[in-house]
Amino acid sequence: MSLVSVRGLNVSLTGPHGRSLLSGVDLGIAAGESVALVGESGSGKSLTARAILGLLPPGLTRTGSIRIGDTDIDPGADAMAPLRGGTVALLLQDPFTMLNPLRRVGRQIADSLVAHERATSDTRRMAVTRRLAEVGLLASVADRYPFQLSGGMRQRVGIAAALAGDPALLVADEPTTALDVTTQRDVLALVRRIQHERGMGLLLITHDLRIAFSVCDRAVVMYAGRVMEDGESTVIRARPAHPYTRALLAAEPPLDRRLVTIPTIPGSVPRHDDVAGSCPFADRCALVSDECRRGRPVLAEHDGRRVACIRAAEIGTGQSAPSAVAPVPTPGDPGPALLSVAGLGKTYRGSETPALIGVSLTVAPGESVGIVGESGSGKTTLARCVVGLETPGSGSITFDGSDITDWSSLDATRRRDLRRAVQMVFQDPYSTLNPVRTVGATLREALVAMGQPAGRRDLAQLLTLVGLPEGYATKRPASLSGGERQRVSIARALAGRPQLLVCDESVSALDVSVQAQILDLLTGLQRDLGMALLFITHDLAVVRQVTDKVYVLHHGACVEHGPTGQVLDNPRDDYTRGLLQSVPREDSGWLMP
Amino acid sequence: MTAQSPVRGRGLVRRGFQHRPGAMVWVSLVIVAAALVAAIIGPLLVPGATDQHLLTGITPPGPGHPLGTDQLGRDVLQLLVAGARTAVLGALVVALGSLVLGNMIGVPAGYFGGWRDGLAMRWADLMFSLPALLVAIVVTGVLGGGFVLAVLVLVVLFSPGDARLARAAVLDQRHRPYVEAARLLDLSASRIMSRHVWPNVMPVVTANAFLNFAFALVALASLSFLGLGVEPGSPDWGRTLADNRSQLLANPWAALAPAIAIVTTAVAVTIVGDWVHERLEARGRAR
Amino acid sequence: MTGQEWARFLARRVAAAIAVVLVLSFGIFALLYLAPGSVEQTLLGTKPASPETIGAIRAQYHLDEPFLVQYLRWLGAALHLDFGTSIRSGSQVGTEISARLPLTIVLVLYGSALAVAAGLPLGVWAAVRRGLAVDRLATGASIAAVSAPPFAVGLLLLFVFAIGLGWFPVYGTGETPAQTLWHLTLPAIALGLGGMGLIVRLTRAAMVGELDQDYIVFARARGLRGRTVVGYALRNSLVPVLTAAGLIVTSTLVGTVLVEVTFALPGLGSLLVDSVTFKDVPVVQAVALLLTVLIAIINLVVDVAYAVVDPRIALGREAS
C-alpha cells in the first residue's frame, strides 16, 4: 500500500502572478520504503517535503494532490495537522535551532509522545528513557537543556522527538548537513537502523547523491523544481539515465584518485520559471538538441526507472566516461619554505581548551598544501593567524624571511608589501562581498589598495582571470550566484598577485556542480600564476584534488602530515583512518560499524 | 556554531510575506511633510498669529476662527501653524543630533571592541538607568529652562540608544568576511568603518532616527506643557495646550487642537519610520 | 544553576545597581551648584538676603566645608531619609514626600497593571494572527498608543469621559479606597496607554521572531498542537517581554509627572514639577534621588528575572 502519494504537485508564491517554485512533482512512498529526494539548492526538494507535511512557509500556495494513506489532503485548511506526529513526522537539518532552547530535552520528547504513553508521569518517564535509548543516549540526557549538548547529541534528541509519536513515515530534511563527517556517519547509520527495525517509511532530503544511494532504496533526483529521474538506487547508481544525474555524479570529486580536471557543469541552477517551457537542464547539458528546448519533457519509463529526458533512449545509460587521473607527482626538493609556521599555539579568551597546540607546517613557493580537520580542530584559527586576522599566543610564523607572527608590529610599508603577497578567500559566498558595492567598486578598491593600476582594462583583465565577463563590473552581489560571488572574492584576493593564497573552506558552501568549477579554477590559477595555496577544508576528497601535501588537525594539534596521496592511501593515525572511513560512499558499506 | 558548511537550501523556506506601503503610510507621509513645511515657513504664512487680542478673549469656533480663539484672543488654527516650528524642528534636531553623536560613539565601539567598547557601553548603561524626560525636567528646570538647553539635554540623553544600536549592528558586521577582506587589503579603520560597515548599518540606525523623532516630539511637547521648554505665550503646541487646558468648557479646541496636532504628528512619524525600517530591511534581505 | 552561582550573580548585579545610584546621586547633589545664582541665594529662596540669614544658611548646609564633604554629609543624611527642609514650604522634605508618595505608587501600579493586562494578550494574539485584521488593528493601535503623550491623552479622556459623558470625576482623589480607584481610573488609563503600546509592540515582535524559528516548525512537524506551540514561543519570548515590563514601570513612573499635572493630582510628580518651577532644590534632589533608586531597583528585578527565565544568561553562556 502506498503511504504517501503526490501527484502533480505545484508550489508557487501566493497571488495572481506569483511565480512557481516547483511543478508537476510526482512522488510515491510505500510503507517501509526509503526514498531519497536529491538535488542542489533551488531544486525544490525541501519545499516538496514541507508541502507533504502541510508546513509550507506563509506566502506559498500548493496545488496538486497529496494523499496520505487513504486520505486526500485538502490544501486549504490545515488538513495535515491531525496526521503530523502520528502518521508523518519531519526532522529538520539544523540541530542547533531545531530544539526549543528553554525546555529540557526529556519534556520536549514527552510533548510528542503518543497519548497512552503520556498518561502518567511514570509512563512518560519510561517512554522518554526508552526513546532516548533507541537513539543511543543515556536516560540522564532527559534532564539537560539543548545548549548543554553537542550537535550530534542534539540531532539524536531530534530524531527521538520526531519518532515519539511512532509515525509511519519520517521525512528527514538534510539531517546531517550541519554536522561533522564522523557525526554524520553515526546519525545516518542510526536513521537507517531505526527505519529497518521499525519498518518505517523514510523520505530523506539530501544534496549528496552518495548519501542518497547508500541510505535509501530509491532515489528521486530533482532539478529547478522538477523531477528529473526516479528509480531504484542501485539502478541509477550503476546506470544514470538523465544527463543531469550523470553530470552530478561525475562532479563529485573522488576520494581515491586525483583527476586532471574535475568534470563540471557550466553555469548554475536556473529559476523554475526561467526554464518553464523546456527541459530545465537544456542550457547546461552537453547532450542538448534543439528539440530539448521545444517542450517540457515528461517522466517516462526507460530501462527500469522513470526519466524526464526526451533523448533518454538515444543517449543510453551509464556513467559518463571516467576522467583522466593525474599522475602522482614525484616528490622533488621543495626548496626553501615560503611560509613556515613553528609551534603555533592559541587559546581564545574565555575558552578553557586551546584552539591550537604547537602546530608546525611549511609551504614551499608554488606548492599546494591542505589542512584538514573537523569543526573545532583549529584549522580556521590557523588560517586566520597566517593572514593576521588573529594573533597567535605562542610560536612563530615566518613568510619569505619576515616574521609575521604579529602583523600589527610590522611597519606600514613592510605590512603593505606582505598584504600583497598573502591573501585569503573566505567560506561564505553570501557575506564575502559588501552587499552595497558593485563588483567593479570592490575590485577597483582592491587594485588600488594593492598599488596596482585600476583602469577599466585592468578590471576587465582581473574578471577574465576568474572566468567572469567584463560586464559583471556593474553588478551587485545580490544578482550573482554563489559560485559567481566566490569568483569575485577570488579576484579580489588576486588583485595584488599574491605568492600565497589561503582558502578557508572556500568551496564548502557551494553546490557540487559549482564546487567543481571553483576547484578547477583554483588549481588552474595556482598552476598559471605559480602561487602557493594553503587550502583549509573538512572534505578529504577535495584535499585529494587540490593539494600536494596535507596536514591533519584534531583538537588543535597536528596528528599526521605528509604527501597527500600517501596520507590518504596509507593513513597511519587512527583519527585520519576514522575520518577516511566517514567519507560518504555510494554503497551502504560505509555506514556499517 | 560548529557547523562545517552553512545550512543549505533554506532561502525560500525561510522568507515570509512582505508588506506594501498602504494608505496609512501615504497619509502619514503627507502629515509629516505638512508638519515640516509648517515648521520651516509656518511663521511666514501666518504673520500675526501670536498677536494678542485680549478684548476678544477665548471664543468657541465661529466665522473667521474655524477653531475659535484662545484666552489671549489668538486664532487657534493660526497658532497651530506658527507653533510647528519649535515643536517639530526641535524634535528633528534632537533626532539628527542623537543620530550623529550616537553613531560617532557606537560605531568605533563596535568595530574596535576592547576598552573603547567598555567605556562607551558603561556610559550608555548609566544614561539608560535614567529616563530621558525625567532628567530633562530636572536639569532644564533647575538650570532655568530654555528651549536650546532642552534640545541639548535630549540629544545627550537620546544618543546612548543610538550608540547601543549602532554598536550592536556593527558587531554583527565586524566579523563578516567582506569586512575582514577589507582589513586584509590594509585599508584604514576609518575607511572600513565609513565605506564598508556604515552603509550596511545605516538602515537600522535611520529607522531608529524616525522613532527618536517621534519620541523627541513628545518629550519636547511634554517639557513645554510643564512650562519648561519654551517661554509662556509661545505658540508651541505643548505650551498652547497647557495655557488653555483649564478652558475646556469655553473653547475646548484651544487645548484639544494642539493635543491632536502632537498626537497625529508623532503617530505619523512613527508609521513612516516603521515603513522605512521594513523597506530597508526587505532590501537588505533581498541582497 | 547552583546556589553559589546564583549568589555570585546576584552580588554582581546588586553591586552594579549601587554603583549606578552612587554616580547619579553625585550629579543630583551637584544640582545645587548648577542652579543659576549663588548657592546661598538658591537656598534662601524668597527670604530676604542679609548677612545674618546668609550666615545661618552657610552654617546649616555646611557650605564652608569642601564640596566632597558636603556631598557625603548630604548622602549620609539621605540614607537616614533626612533630606532637609523645603525652601518653598519650610517643612521637612521627608514629610512632604511621604504624604505624596502613596498616591503616585497606586497610580504607577494601576497604570502598569492596565498596560500589561491589556498589552500582553493583545501582542500575543497579534503575533499568532500575523498579517490578519487583528494584527493590523493591534499594530496600528500600538503605534498610536506609543506615540501619544500622556498629557494629551489625559486631556482627551477628560474632555470625552469626564466633561462630555460625565462617567468619571473631573477633579479630586476621592475619600474611600474604592473612590480613589474610581478617581484614578482615567489618569491610570492615560498613564498606561503608552506602556500598553510598548508591550504590544515588543511582545508581538518577539513572538513573531520566535514563531519563525525552526523549533516551532519542528514542534508542529511532530504533531504538537496550537496551544503547546504558542506556549513554546511565549516561553522563549519572555526575555524581551520582561524588558518591556521593566520599561513600562519606569515610563509610567516618569509619565506620572505629566498625568498628575494634567489631572491636578497631589502626587510625587506634581511635587517635582512645583519644586522645579520654584527652584526648591532640596525637594528636587530628594525626589530625583528617590526616583533614581526606584528605577535602579526595577532594573535589578528585571535583570534577575532574566536569569530565572533563561538559564543561559546567568551562566554567561550564549546559545549557539
Side-chain angles (χ1 to χ4, degrees), chain A residues 72-101:
Chain A
D72 231 332
I73 305 300
D74 175 34
D78 195 3
M80 268 307 288
L83 296 177
R84 285 195 292 259
T87 306
V88 189
L90 172 72
L91 182 66
L92 301 181
Q93 68 175 269
D94 189 349
F96 294 93
T97 61
M98 187 172 53
L99 299 173
N100 183 345

PDB file of all heavy atoms in Angstrom, chain A residues 72-101:
ATOM      1  N   ASP A  72      -7.263  12.082   1.269  1.00  0.00           N
ATOM      2  CA  ASP A  72      -6.859  13.133   0.358  1.00  0.00           C
ATOM      3  C   ASP A  72      -6.665  14.402   1.178  1.00  0.00           C
ATOM      4  O   ASP A  72      -7.565  14.801   1.912  1.00  0.00           O
ATOM      5  CB  ASP A  72      -7.979  13.367  -0.673  1.00  0.00           C
ATOM      6  CG  ASP A  72      -7.409  13.330  -2.072  1.00  0.00           C
ATOM      7  OD1 ASP A  72      -6.217  13.660  -2.221  1.00  0.00           O
ATOM      8  OD2 ASP A  72      -8.155  12.958  -2.996  1.00  0.00           O
ATOM      9  N   ILE A  73      -5.495  15.005   1.084  1.00  0.00           N
ATOM     10  CA  ILE A  73      -5.232  16.181   1.910  1.00  0.00           C
ATOM     11  C   ILE A  73      -5.632  17.431   1.152  1.00  0.00           C
ATOM     12  O   ILE A  73      -5.056  17.767   0.121  1.00  0.00           O
ATOM     13  CB  ILE A  73      -3.743  16.254   2.301  1.00  0.00           C
ATOM     14  CG1 ILE A  73      -3.307  14.962   2.996  1.00  0.00           C
ATOM     15  CG2 ILE A  73      -3.498  17.451   3.217  1.00  0.00           C
ATOM     16  CD1 ILE A  73      -4.056  14.625   4.254  1.00  0.00           C
ATOM     17  N   ASP A  74      -6.618  18.118   1.712  1.00  0.00           N
ATOM     18  CA  ASP A  74      -7.110  19.353   1.111  1.00  0.00           C
ATOM     19  C   ASP A  74      -6.091  20.466   1.350  1.00  0.00           C
ATOM     20  O   ASP A  74      -5.654  20.670   2.478  1.00  0.00           O
ATOM     21  CB  ASP A  74      -8.462  19.684   1.772  1.00  0.00           C
ATOM     22  CG  ASP A  74      -8.994  21.024   1.307  1.00  0.00           C
ATOM     23  OD1 ASP A  74      -8.757  21.349   0.138  1.00  0.00           O
ATOM     24  OD2 ASP A  74      -9.617  21.726   2.118  1.00  0.00           O
ATOM     25  N   PRO A  75      -5.683  21.168   0.314  1.00  0.00           N
ATOM     26  CA  PRO A  75      -4.642  22.177   0.507  1.00  0.00           C
ATOM     27  C   PRO A  75      -5.108  23.400   1.297  1.00  0.00           C
ATOM     28  O   PRO A  75      -4.287  24.179   1.768  1.00  0.00           O
ATOM     29  CB  PRO A  75      -4.252  22.577  -0.921  1.00  0.00           C
ATOM     30  CG  PRO A  75      -5.379  22.156  -1.781  1.00  0.00           C
ATOM     31  CD  PRO A  75      -6.089  21.046  -1.090  1.00  0.00           C
ATOM     32  N   GLY A  76      -6.412  23.570   1.430  1.00  0.00           N
ATOM     33  CA  GLY A  76      -6.906  24.782   2.089  1.00  0.00           C
ATOM     34  C   GLY A  76      -6.607  24.827   3.575  1.00  0.00           C
ATOM     35  O   GLY A  76      -5.592  25.367   4.008  1.00  0.00           O
ATOM     36  N   ALA A  77      -7.483  24.247   4.386  1.00  0.00           N
ATOM     37  CA  ALA A  77      -7.292  24.274   5.834  1.00  0.00           C
ATOM     38  C   ALA A  77      -6.091  23.414   6.201  1.00  0.00           C
ATOM     39  O   ALA A  77      -5.527  22.732   5.355  1.00  0.00           O
ATOM     40  CB  ALA A  77      -8.540  23.751   6.527  1.00  0.00           C
ATOM     41  N   ASP A  78      -5.683  23.451   7.437  1.00  0.00           N
ATOM     42  CA  ASP A  78      -4.531  22.660   7.856  1.00  0.00           C
ATOM     43  C   ASP A  78      -4.961  21.209   8.054  1.00  0.00           C
ATOM     44  O   ASP A  78      -5.012  20.704   9.167  1.00  0.00           O
ATOM     45  CB  ASP A  78      -3.934  23.242   9.142  1.00  0.00           C
ATOM     46  CG  ASP A  78      -2.548  22.677   9.395  1.00  0.00           C
ATOM     47  OD1 ASP A  78      -2.061  21.902   8.549  1.00  0.00           O
ATOM     48  OD2 ASP A  78      -1.959  23.007  10.431  1.00  0.00           O
ATOM     49  N   ALA A  79      -5.256  20.553   6.925  1.00  0.00           N
ATOM     50  CA  ALA A  79      -5.792  19.194   6.993  1.00  0.00           C
ATOM     51  C   ALA A  79      -4.747  18.193   7.470  1.00  0.00           C
ATOM     52  O   ALA A  79      -5.083  17.096   7.924  1.00  0.00           O
ATOM     53  CB  ALA A  79      -6.319  18.784   5.622  1.00  0.00           C
ATOM     54  N   MET A  80      -3.489  18.565   7.390  1.00  0.00           N
ATOM     55  CA  MET A  80      -2.430  17.645   7.810  1.00  0.00           C
ATOM     56  C   MET A  80      -2.274  17.597   9.326  1.00  0.00           C
ATOM     57  O   MET A  80      -1.696  16.648   9.854  1.00  0.00           O
ATOM     58  CB  MET A  80      -1.095  18.088   7.195  1.00  0.00           C
ATOM     59  CG  MET A  80      -0.723  17.477   5.866  1.00  0.00           C
ATOM     60  SD  MET A  80      -0.785  15.695   5.880  1.00  0.00           S
ATOM     61  CE  MET A  80       0.653  15.321   6.882  1.00  0.00           C
ATOM     62  N   ALA A  81      -2.772  18.629  10.014  1.00  0.00           N
ATOM     63  CA  ALA A  81      -2.498  18.749  11.447  1.00  0.00           C
ATOM     64  C   ALA A  81      -2.729  17.452  12.235  1.00  0.00           C
ATOM     65  O   ALA A  81      -1.863  17.036  13.000  1.00  0.00           O
ATOM     66  CB  ALA A  81      -3.301  19.902  12.041  1.00  0.00           C
ATOM     67  N   PRO A  82      -3.874  16.783  12.057  1.00  0.00           N
ATOM     68  CA  PRO A  82      -4.072  15.570  12.856  1.00  0.00           C
ATOM     69  C   PRO A  82      -3.143  14.420  12.457  1.00  0.00           C
ATOM     70  O   PRO A  82      -2.978  13.469  13.224  1.00  0.00           O
ATOM     71  CB  PRO A  82      -5.539  15.204  12.590  1.00  0.00           C
ATOM     72  CG  PRO A  82      -5.983  16.002  11.427  1.00  0.00           C
ATOM     73  CD  PRO A  82      -5.051  17.138  11.259  1.00  0.00           C
ATOM     74  N   LEU A  83      -2.546  14.500  11.275  1.00  0.00           N
ATOM     75  CA  LEU A  83      -1.696  13.389  10.821  1.00  0.00           C
ATOM     76  C   LEU A  83      -0.224  13.596  11.178  1.00  0.00           C
ATOM     77  O   LEU A  83       0.570  12.661  11.122  1.00  0.00           O
ATOM     78  CB  LEU A  83      -1.816  13.232   9.302  1.00  0.00           C
ATOM     79  CG  LEU A  83      -3.211  12.848   8.795  1.00  0.00           C
ATOM     80  CD1 LEU A  83      -3.228  12.789   7.277  1.00  0.00           C
ATOM     81  CD2 LEU A  83      -3.627  11.517   9.384  1.00  0.00           C
ATOM     82  N   ARG A  84       0.133  14.846  11.534  1.00  0.00           N
ATOM     83  CA  ARG A  84       1.533  15.095  11.870  1.00  0.00           C
ATOM     84  C   ARG A  84       1.857  14.467  13.216  1.00  0.00           C
ATOM     85  O   ARG A  84       1.061  14.513  14.143  1.00  0.00           O
ATOM     86  CB  ARG A  84       1.828  16.597  11.908  1.00  0.00           C
ATOM     87  CG  ARG A  84       1.926  17.216  10.523  1.00  0.00           C
ATOM     88  CD  ARG A  84       2.574  18.592  10.585  1.00  0.00           C
ATOM     89  NE  ARG A  84       1.724  19.546  11.265  1.00  0.00           N
ATOM     90  CZ  ARG A  84       0.962  20.445  10.651  1.00  0.00           C
ATOM     91  NH1 ARG A  84       0.952  20.500   9.321  1.00  0.00           N
ATOM     92  NH2 ARG A  84       0.220  21.284  11.327  1.00  0.00           N
ATOM     93  N   GLY A  85       3.035  13.909  13.319  1.00  0.00           N
ATOM     94  CA  GLY A  85       3.447  13.269  14.562  1.00  0.00           C
ATOM     95  C   GLY A  85       3.122  11.789  14.552  1.00  0.00           C
ATOM     96  O   GLY A  85       4.007  10.953  14.601  1.00  0.00           O
ATOM     97  N   GLY A  86       1.842  11.451  14.431  1.00  0.00           N
ATOM     98  CA  GLY A  86       1.432  10.052  14.486  1.00  0.00           C
ATOM     99  C   GLY A  86       1.587   9.327  13.163  1.00  0.00           C
ATOM    100  O   GLY A  86       1.864   8.124  13.141  1.00  0.00           O
ATOM    101  N   THR A  87       1.402  10.033  12.045  1.00  0.00           N
ATOM    102  CA  THR A  87       1.497   9.380  10.743  1.00  0.00           C
ATOM    103  C   THR A  87       2.766   9.810  10.000  1.00  0.00           C
ATOM    104  O   THR A  87       3.507   8.981   9.493  1.00  0.00           O
ATOM    105  CB  THR A  87       0.250   9.719   9.887  1.00  0.00           C
ATOM    106  OG1 THR A  87      -0.909   9.379  10.638  1.00  0.00           O
ATOM    107  CG2 THR A  87       0.265   8.933   8.596  1.00  0.00           C
ATOM    108  N   VAL A  88       2.985  11.129   9.954  1.00  0.00           N
ATOM    109  CA  VAL A  88       4.173  11.656   9.294  1.00  0.00           C
ATOM    110  C   VAL A  88       4.872  12.622  10.237  1.00  0.00           C
ATOM    111  O   VAL A  88       4.205  13.427  10.884  1.00  0.00           O
ATOM    112  CB  VAL A  88       3.799  12.429   8.002  1.00  0.00           C
ATOM    113  CG1 VAL A  88       5.051  12.778   7.230  1.00  0.00           C
ATOM    114  CG2 VAL A  88       2.858  11.640   7.143  1.00  0.00           C
ATOM    115  N   ALA A  89       6.184  12.518  10.352  1.00  0.00           N
ATOM    116  CA  ALA A  89       6.922  13.485  11.157  1.00  0.00           C
ATOM    117  C   ALA A  89       8.090  14.003  10.334  1.00  0.00           C
ATOM    118  O   ALA A  89       8.591  13.320   9.437  1.00  0.00           O
ATOM    119  CB  ALA A  89       7.428  12.861  12.446  1.00  0.00           C
ATOM    120  N   LEU A  90       8.509  15.242  10.651  1.00  0.00           N
ATOM    121  CA  LEU A  90       9.592  15.875   9.891  1.00  0.00           C
ATOM    122  C   LEU A  90      10.773  16.154  10.813  1.00  0.00           C
ATOM    123  O   LEU A  90      10.616  16.701  11.893  1.00  0.00           O
ATOM    124  CB  LEU A  90       9.085  17.200   9.291  1.00  0.00           C
ATOM    125  CG  LEU A  90      10.099  18.132   8.617  1.00  0.00           C
ATOM    126  CD1 LEU A  90      10.549  17.557   7.285  1.00  0.00           C
ATOM    127  CD2 LEU A  90       9.490  19.503   8.387  1.00  0.00           C
ATOM    128  N   LEU A  91      11.959  15.756  10.360  1.00  0.00           N
ATOM    129  CA  LEU A  91      13.190  16.067  11.087  1.00  0.00           C
ATOM    130  C   LEU A  91      13.913  17.163  10.312  1.00  0.00           C
ATOM    131  O   LEU A  91      14.097  17.036   9.105  1.00  0.00           O
ATOM    132  CB  LEU A  91      14.058  14.807  11.171  1.00  0.00           C
ATOM    133  CG  LEU A  91      15.359  14.910  11.936  1.00  0.00           C
ATOM    134  CD1 LEU A  91      15.101  15.147  13.408  1.00  0.00           C
ATOM    135  CD2 LEU A  91      16.181  13.638  11.746  1.00  0.00           C
ATOM    136  N   LEU A  92      14.303  18.242  11.002  1.00  0.00           N
ATOM    137  CA  LEU A  92      14.926  19.362  10.294  1.00  0.00           C
ATOM    138  C   LEU A  92      16.440  19.226  10.248  1.00  0.00           C
ATOM    139  O   LEU A  92      17.025  18.352  10.875  1.00  0.00           O
ATOM    140  CB  LEU A  92      14.544  20.682  10.961  1.00  0.00           C
ATOM    141  CG  LEU A  92      13.052  20.981  11.021  1.00  0.00           C
ATOM    142  CD1 LEU A  92      12.813  22.326  11.681  1.00  0.00           C
ATOM    143  CD2 LEU A  92      12.444  20.970   9.642  1.00  0.00           C
ATOM    144  N   GLN A  93      17.072  20.162   9.500  1.00  0.00           N
ATOM    145  CA  GLN A  93      18.504  19.971   9.247  1.00  0.00           C
ATOM    146  C   GLN A  93      19.427  20.514  10.328  1.00  0.00           C
ATOM    147  O   GLN A  93      20.508  19.999  10.503  1.00  0.00           O
ATOM    148  CB  GLN A  93      18.879  20.560   7.903  1.00  0.00           C
ATOM    149  CG  GLN A  93      18.789  22.061   7.820  1.00  0.00           C
ATOM    150  CD  GLN A  93      19.313  22.556   6.476  1.00  0.00           C
ATOM    151  OE1 GLN A  93      20.464  22.862   6.312  1.00  0.00           O
ATOM    152  NE2 GLN A  93      18.463  22.629   5.484  1.00  0.00           N
ATOM    153  N   ASP A  94      18.996  21.563  11.023  1.00  0.00           N
ATOM    154  CA  ASP A  94      19.957  22.206  11.913  1.00  0.00           C
ATOM    155  C   ASP A  94      19.687  21.851  13.373  1.00  0.00           C
ATOM    156  O   ASP A  94      18.769  22.375  13.983  1.00  0.00           O
ATOM    157  CB  ASP A  94      19.887  23.718  11.718  1.00  0.00           C
ATOM    158  CG  ASP A  94      21.005  24.435  12.455  1.00  0.00           C
ATOM    159  OD1 ASP A  94      21.683  23.777  13.277  1.00  0.00           O
ATOM    160  OD2 ASP A  94      21.196  25.638  12.223  1.00  0.00           O
ATOM    161  N   PRO A  95      20.490  20.959  13.943  1.00  0.00           N
ATOM    162  CA  PRO A  95      20.225  20.535  15.317  1.00  0.00           C
ATOM    163  C   PRO A  95      20.364  21.668  16.316  1.00  0.00           C
ATOM    164  O   PRO A  95      19.873  21.571  17.433  1.00  0.00           O
ATOM    165  CB  PRO A  95      21.287  19.460  15.561  1.00  0.00           C
ATOM    166  CG  PRO A  95      22.363  19.753  14.587  1.00  0.00           C
ATOM    167  CD  PRO A  95      21.687  20.350  13.385  1.00  0.00           C
ATOM    168  N   PHE A  96      21.027  22.759  15.906  1.00  0.00           N
ATOM    169  CA  PHE A  96      21.245  23.849  16.848  1.00  0.00           C
ATOM    170  C   PHE A  96      20.030  24.756  16.983  1.00  0.00           C
ATOM    171  O   PHE A  96      19.909  25.498  17.924  1.00  0.00           O
ATOM    172  CB  PHE A  96      22.475  24.666  16.435  1.00  0.00           C
ATOM    173  CG  PHE A  96      23.734  23.865  16.533  1.00  0.00           C
ATOM    174  CD1 PHE A  96      24.219  23.177  15.440  1.00  0.00           C
ATOM    175  CD2 PHE A  96      24.400  23.764  17.738  1.00  0.00           C
ATOM    176  CE1 PHE A  96      25.360  22.409  15.545  1.00  0.00           C
ATOM    177  CE2 PHE A  96      25.547  23.001  17.849  1.00  0.00           C
ATOM    178  CZ  PHE A  96      26.026  22.314  16.745  1.00  0.00           C
ATOM    179  N   THR A  97      19.140  24.725  16.010  1.00  0.00           N
ATOM    180  CA  THR A  97      17.962  25.584  16.095  1.00  0.00           C
ATOM    181  C   THR A  97      16.668  24.784  16.170  1.00  0.00           C
ATOM    182  O   THR A  97      15.602  25.346  16.326  1.00  0.00           O
ATOM    183  CB  THR A  97      17.870  26.504  14.861  1.00  0.00           C
ATOM    184  OG1 THR A  97      17.764  25.690  13.692  1.00  0.00           O
ATOM    185  CG2 THR A  97      19.080  27.401  14.750  1.00  0.00           C
ATOM    186  N   MET A  98      16.764  23.466  16.062  1.00  0.00           N
ATOM    187  CA  MET A  98      15.560  22.657  15.929  1.00  0.00           C
ATOM    188  C   MET A  98      14.852  22.435  17.262  1.00  0.00           C
ATOM    189  O   MET A  98      13.656  22.188  17.296  1.00  0.00           O
ATOM    190  CB  MET A  98      15.949  21.328  15.304  1.00  0.00           C
ATOM    191  CG  MET A  98      14.787  20.463  14.947  1.00  0.00           C
ATOM    192  SD  MET A  98      15.314  19.038  14.013  1.00  0.00           S
ATOM    193  CE  MET A  98      16.581  18.369  15.041  1.00  0.00           C
ATOM    194  N   LEU A  99      15.625  22.463  18.354  1.00  0.00           N
ATOM    195  CA  LEU A  99      15.022  22.178  19.655  1.00  0.00           C
ATOM    196  C   LEU A  99      14.704  23.467  20.394  1.00  0.00           C
ATOM    197  O   LEU A  99      15.424  24.446  20.264  1.00  0.00           O
ATOM    198  CB  LEU A  99      15.978  21.317  20.489  1.00  0.00           C
ATOM    199  CG  LEU A  99      16.321  19.964  19.883  1.00  0.00           C
ATOM    200  CD1 LEU A  99      17.400  19.272  20.700  1.00  0.00           C
ATOM    201  CD2 LEU A  99      15.082  19.079  19.794  1.00  0.00           C
ATOM    202  N   ASN A 100      13.627  23.426  21.147  1.00  0.00           N
ATOM    203  CA  ASN A 100      13.244  24.571  21.985  1.00  0.00           C
ATOM    204  C   ASN A 100      14.362  24.828  22.997  1.00  0.00           C
ATOM    205  O   ASN A 100      14.641  23.974  23.832  1.00  0.00           O
ATOM    206  CB  ASN A 100      11.929  24.243  22.687  1.00  0.00           C
ATOM    207  CG  ASN A 100      11.416  25.394  23.528  1.00  0.00           C
ATOM    208  OD1 ASN A 100      12.156  26.338  23.814  1.00  0.00           O
ATOM    209  ND2 ASN A 100      10.165  25.329  23.917  1.00  0.00           N
ATOM    210  N   PRO A 101      15.013  26.008  22.928  1.00  0.00           N
ATOM    211  CA  PRO A 101      16.208  26.220  23.750  1.00  0.00           C
ATOM    212  C   PRO A 101      15.938  26.267  25.250  1.00  0.00           C
ATOM    213  O   PRO A 101      16.849  26.069  26.040  1.00  0.00           O
ATOM    214  CB  PRO A 101      16.733  27.573  23.264  1.00  0.00           C
ATOM    215  CG  PRO A 101      15.589  28.242  22.600  1.00  0.00           C
ATOM    216  CD  PRO A 101      14.734  27.150  22.042  1.00  0.00           C
TER     217      PRO A 101
END
